[in-house]
Amino acid sequence: MFLHIGNSKNILCSKIIGIFDLDTATVSADTRDFLKTHEKNGATDTAAEELPKSFILTDDNKVILSQISTSTLQNREI
């Protein structure tokens, strides 16, 4: 199964480790540092044309930003 994460991008569901809300997850300094490190190392991709609302962590240690909320992503499957 695939998950549509926005902007015509899909991810294989078995590759997803977690789906996180950017507003609540980035309250923690550890999460902010994690995201900054991934961005600095080029391990961040985006499926967002607008301000991202969530991020997806994959099993190959990639972070993908999405403009779709976590609740909507959790209810989507192709």
Side-chain angles (χ1 to χ4, degrees), residues 2-4 19 68-78:
F2 287 89
L3 176 68
H4 176 72
I19 300 171
I68 301 170
S69 71
T70 55
S71 60
T72 302
L73 288 172
Q74 290 174 348
N75 292 322
R76 282 189 176 185
E77 286 188 26
I78 298 176

Side-chain angles (χ1 to χ4, degrees), residues 1-59:
M1 295 296 244
F2 287 89
L3 176 68
H4 176 72
I5 60 169
N7 202 18
S8 300
K9 290 192 178 186
N10 299 306
I11 298 177
L12 191 60
C13 289
S14 62
K15 296 184 75 60
I16 297 173
I17 293 175
I19 300 171
F20 304 91
D21 182 84
L22 272 173
D23 288 336
T24 57
T26 55
V27 170
S28 167
D30 291 335
T31 305
R32 288 192 305 269
D33 291 342
F34 173 81
L35 292 172
K36 284 179 190 176
T37 301
H38 272 69
E39 185 174 8
K40 184 178 178 181
N41 293 335
T44 302
D45 193 10
T46 185
E49 293 177 352
E50 300 173 12
L51 189 65
K53 295 180 184 175
S54 61
F55 70 94
I56 299 119
L57 180 62
T58 62
D59 64 356

